[in-house]
Amino acid sequence: MAGNPKLHYTRGRGKMESIRWLLAAAGVEFEEEFIEKKEDLEKLRNDGSLLFQQVPMVEIDGMKMVQSRAILCYIAAKYNLYGKDLKERAWIDMYVEGTTDLMAMIMVLPFQAADVKEKNIALVIERATNRYFPVYEKALKDHGQDYLVGNKLSWADIHLLEAILMTEELKSDILSAFPLLQAFKGRMSSVPTIKKFLQPGSQRKPPSDEKSIANVRKIFNM
């Protein structure tokens, strides 16, 4: 299993998208083996590749890693995106957990009935505006650096940019009250590896559509 990491997941974003983001930002080329139908998932389960019978699964450094948090921590540490000491790592973890909570709310929206979805979009926008983005705006102000932790790119920065872009898909002017986050978005989007990932034709996945949602439901018996 030497060579580039190999990602096993559907063609959608889901829990794999943050892993794609982190690898791309680290400048790591990766391969993807897509789960297109229920049988592909069963094959992975039956051959013992999935420790807890679940994806995402990433083949990296001779391991078949599962559990998205474990995978992300490993990649962040391996590619020097996880701070210089325990305190920096703790701050990165806190910031990442915040953006994870926000993105989890967004991730489930396509699977919800129209009336529920409409209410939850309003809730996401309210939480982003009043609970999450003010924290990062203040962090950038207090820290006085281009990055959230230390003075170099970390997993926290990459995850925040992903969260910002996901939230802007729901409300394009969501950052209107957050000038430091607007500047942060511009800086992060200009990092060469991230800029490349944001270009059309990259391995970044688009928002889910009805066809992809139907396929995911079929694969996972939802």
Side-chain angles (χ1 to χ4, degrees):
M1 295 192 293
N4 296 337
K6 184 185 281 188
L7 282 49
H8 297 262
Y9 203 66
T10 66
R11 290 184 180 273
R13 287 181 180 175
K15 291 190 173 183
M16 186 64 92
E17 190 69 359
S18 291
I19 296 167
R20 296 182 184 111
W21 264 91
L22 195 55
L23 285 167
V28 179
E29 291 187 8
F30 57 88
E31 301 166 19
E32 297 192 80
E33 194 158 306
F34 294 113
I35 297 167
E36 308 272 16
K37 52 191 186 297
K38 195 186 296 184
E39 291 76 13
D40 296 336
L41 180 60
E42 287 305 315
K43 184 177 183 300
L44 286 174
R45 286 172 171 166
N46 293 335
D47 71 13
S49 292
L50 305 179
L51 195 61
F52 300 110
Q53 307 290 307
Q54 295 170 307
V55 289
M57 188 269 280
V58 174
E59 295 184 61
I60 185 169
D61 295 343
M63 296 182 288
K64 292 184 175 181
M65 291 197 72
V66 296
Q67 297 293 350
S68 49
R69 171 81 194 184
I71 296 165
L72 287 160
C73 286
Y74 183 82
I75 293 166
K78 180 179 171 72
Y79 295 106
N80 200 25
L81 294 166
Y82 211 177
K84 71 177 190 298
D85 55 31
L86 273 176
K87 280 191 175 179
E88 285 197 358
R89 186 166 292 198
W91 278 106
I92 289 167
D93 283 339
M94 284 192 280
Y95 290 142
V96 165
E97 288 301 315
T99 38
T100 298
D101 289 347
L102 177 59
M103 288 196 283
M105 294 174 70
I106 299 170
M107 217 179 284
V108 297
L109 291 172
F111 297 91
Q112 296 171 341
D115 56 335
V116 177
K117 181 178 176 181
E118 192 175 335
K119 285 179 190 170
N120 285 333
I121 286 174
L123 180 62
V124 168
I125 291 166
E126 188 275 324
R127 288 275 171 85
T129 305
N130 297 314
R131 178 180 293 187
Y132 294 107
F133 288 164
V135 170
Y136 300 103
E137 182 81 2
K138 184 176 186 299
L140 289 165
K141 183 181 179 184
D142 291 349
H143 190 44
Q145 304 286 353
D146 286 348
Y147 306 99
L148 284 170
V149 179
N151 194 23
K152 67 190 290 289
L153 183 69
S154 77
W155 175 21
D157 301 306
I158 298 157
H159 217 242
L160 176 55
L161 178 61
E162 183 187 1
I164 287 170
L165 296 181
M166 283 177 74
T167 315
E168 283 183 333
E169 288 171 353
L170 302 177
K171 189 175 191 291
S172 59
D173 65 346
I174 192 86
L175 292 186
S176 59
F178 304 104
L180 297 182
L181 281 178
Q182 291 174 40
F184 172 87
K185 175 192 164 188
R187 287 195 304 276
M188 293 305 112
S189 300
S190 299
V191 172
T193 51
I194 294 174
K195 186 176 181 181
K196 183 180 176 185
F197 189 60
L198 292 173
Q199 297 302 310
S202 80
Q203 286 166 293
R204 184 182 179 216
K205 301 298 180 272
S208 302
D209 57 21
E210 285 184 19
K211 185 180 175 185
S212 64
I213 291 296
N215 195 43
V216 166
R217 288 187 186 279
K218 197 180 293 184
I219 291 168
F220 294 104
N221 286 326
M222 295 170 70

